[in-house]
């Protein structure tokens, strides 16, 4: 199976690299290329209604958020959970793109926190070790 992870990107020309965002919850710019996947965990408190949402202005970028909250039946109202975020850069990505995250209750208009991940295309003029 590990051989597939090495051979398939070489055959199809995409990197399929997995990157963990070092400062989740802060606005930043990240250099990416087709096939890259970015991961981060954001703290959220769904037991009180607050959760993270994301919007992106580029169809070549897919954002998924898996919300993991404590079970309300455990009597842990107010205990934080996590939002597991995956940003996938599709084949043919040209960029730049902006992924805007907002932390709010669904029935409220304005979020209490926001940040933006700006993605831009990696070009061939970088050193091979970067």
């Amino acid at each position: 199976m590990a051989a597939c992870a090495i051979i398939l990107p070489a055959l199809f020309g995409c990197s399929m690299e997995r990157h963990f965002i070092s400062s989740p919850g802060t606005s930043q710019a990240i250099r990416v290329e087709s096939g890259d996947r970015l991961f981060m965990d954001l703290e959220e408190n769904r037991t009180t209604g607050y959760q993270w949402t994301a919007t992106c202005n580029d169809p070549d970028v897919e954002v998924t958020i898996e919300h993991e909250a404590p079970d309300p039946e455990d009597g842990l109202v107010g205990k934080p959970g996590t939002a597991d975020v995956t940003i996938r850069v599709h084949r043919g990505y040209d960029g730049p793109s902006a992924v805007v995250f907002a932390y709010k209750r669904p029935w409220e208009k304005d979020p209490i926190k926001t940040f933006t991940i700006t993605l831009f295309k990696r070009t061939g003029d970088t050193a091979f070790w970067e």
Side-chain angles (χ1 to χ4, degrees), residues 13-76:
C14 61
S15 69
M16 291 179 57
E17 288 193 39
R18 300 169 62 98
H19 305 280
F20 294 92
I21 296 174
S22 60
S23 299
T26 61
S27 293
Q28 54 193 293
I30 300 174
R31 186 175 56 195
V32 296
E33 60 186 43
S34 295
D36 281 356
R37 289 196 171 101
L38 307 170
F39 301 94
M40 70 177 156
D41 293 332
L42 298 170
E43 189 174 290
E44 68 180 3
N45 198 337
R46 289 189 61 214
T47 60
T48 59
Y50 286 99
Q51 65 183 16
W52 285 101
T53 60
T55 56
C56 184
N57 63 350
D58 190 331
D60 289 331
V61 176
E62 177 185 347
V63 181
T64 57
I65 301 176
E66 292 183 28
H67 303 279
E68 297 180 14
D71 188 350
E73 293 180 9
D74 291 340
L76 300 176

